[in-house]
Amino acid sequence: QQQVKQSPQSLIVQKGGISIINCAYENTAFDYFPWYQQFPGKGPALLIAIRPDVSEKKEGRFTISFNKSAKQFSLHIMDSQPGDSATYFCAAKTNSGYALNFGKGTSLLVTP
Amino acid sequence: DVKVTQSSRYLVKRTGEKVFLECVQDMDHENMFWYRQDPGLGLRLIYFSYDVKMKEKGDIPEGYSVSREKKERFSLILESASTNQTSMYLCASSLRGGISDTQYFGPGTRLTVL
C-alpha cells in the first residue's frame, strides 16, 4: 500500500514557468518530508526537505509548501529551466523509522 | 563526498540463476538499503540493514535475500532469478536511523532476466 501519493505522474512546463508537484499522506506519525531528484542514469539525490513545524522552506528556486492539517506537501520550482528536467520523488519518514516511504515519482520535462 | 558504488551498471542473467548485487559505501554509514525502481511504481524498499549482520524486510522482500558481513558492504541476492525481477536496483546508505538522515544513492544496476 502506497503510503505517499504523488501527482502528477508526468509534467511538461515551458522554460521560465512554475512546476508544481503534489504529495499526500495518511500516516500522522510522519515527521520528515524530503524531495529527491533523479537524472537519467543516476541515482536519486536529496533536493530539499522539510519538517512539519514549518509551513514552507525555500532553497533557491525550489520551495516546499507543507499543509499539516490537509496532510499534503508540494514542491514548487520557480523559473523552471531545461536542466531541471528529471524525475522527482517525494518521501516521508517517521522519527523512529529507518526507511523512507517514497511516492511513485513525477517525470518533469522543461521545454526550451 | 559520500560515495555509494554498485558492482555493475548492467547485468543480464538467465531464469533460475543465482544473482549477486553488491553495494559498497565509503562513509562509515550504519544504515544501508536496497530498492527496486520500476516505471510508474517509484522506489520500493526490498530490504534494509541498520548494523552489521542485521537485516529487516522492506515492502517487497519476496524472492530476495541480503547479506551484510561488513559495515561498508551490503549484498542483494536473488536465489533463483525470475523474469519479473527484471528491474533497476538501487542501493542507498545513511548515517543514522533518526530523523532527517539523508539517504545517499548509488547509480543503480539495471538487471535483465531472460
Side-chain angles (χ1 to χ4, degrees):
Chain A
Q1 184 182 356
Q2 198 84 23
Q3 295 203 51
V4 179
K5 290 181 167 47
Q6 183 172 346
S7 63
Q9 187 172 356
S10 62
L11 183 61
I12 300 174
V13 173
Q14 282 195 331
K15 178 182 175 181
I18 302 174
S19 304
I20 302 174
I21 304 170
N22 300 299
C23 285
Y25 64 97
E26 287 297 326
N27 187 350
T28 55
F30 286 149
D31 56 5
Y32 173 62
F33 302 90
W35 285 87
Y36 279 74
Q37 180 187 53
Q38 183 181 29
F39 293 107
K42 304 285 188 182
L46 178 67
L47 180 63
I48 187 172
I50 197 169
R51 300 186 189 191
D53 53 346
V54 296
S55 60
E56 186 176 281
K57 183 172 181 179
K58 185 176 180 180
E59 290 184 4
R61 295 183 294 108
F62 300 91
T63 300
I64 300 179
S65 297
F66 185 83
N67 186 330
K68 189 173 182 178
S69 60
K71 289 183 285 186
Q72 294 176 348
F73 59 111
S74 59
L75 176 69
H76 295 236
I77 306 174
M78 311 300 289
D79 187 27
S80 299
Q81 299 296 312
D84 297 330
S85 297
T87 300
Y88 293 81
F89 294 96
C90 62
K93 181 178 172 293
T94 65
N95 186 39
S96 59
Y98 291 95
L100 290 168
N101 297 274
F102 283 93
K104 292 188 177 183
T106 296
S107 177
L108 171 65
L109 176 64
V110 181
T111 59
Chain B
D1 282 349
V2 174
K3 193 167 184 181
V4 179
T5 57
Q6 296 183 228
S7 51
S8 305
R9 293 300 304 271
Y10 300 93
L11 209 53
V12 179
K13 296 292 181 181
R14 297 253 177 226
T15 302
E17 280 193 80
K18 190 169 186 175
V19 181
F20 292 86
L21 302 182
E22 304 284 339
C23 175
V24 177
Q25 50 93 3
D26 66 356
M27 286 301 292
D28 203 35
H29 285 176
E30 291 87 357
N31 306 322
M32 296 188 74
F33 308 84
W34 275 107
Y35 296 87
R36 63 177 284 175
Q37 181 175 11
D38 300 288
L41 296 179
L43 297 164
R44 293 181 292 166
L45 182 65
I46 305 171
Y47 268 96
F48 69 95
S49 168
Y50 54 87
D51 201 351
V52 175
K53 296 192 186 293
M54 305 304 291
K55 60 185 178 184
E56 293 285 343
K57 292 180 180 179
D59 299 318
I60 51 165
E62 296 79 17
Y64 303 94
S65 62
V66 290
S67 172
R68 193 168 181 201
E69 296 297 319
K70 293 185 178 181
K71 191 175 185 180
E72 68 271 18
R73 188 179 298 269
F74 192 34
S75 302
L76 180 69
I77 303 154
L78 287 66
E79 293 289 342
S80 178
S82 63
T83 55
N84 63 12
Q85 292 178 310
T86 291
S87 186
M88 171 68 82
Y89 290 88
L90 290 161
C91 175
S93 71
S94 66
L95 184 59
R96 292 178 300 276
I99 194 70
S100 298
D101 53 325
T102 301
Q103 287 191 17
Y104 297 88
F105 284 83
T109 295
R110 184 165 294 282
L111 172 67
T112 302
V113 182
L114 301 175

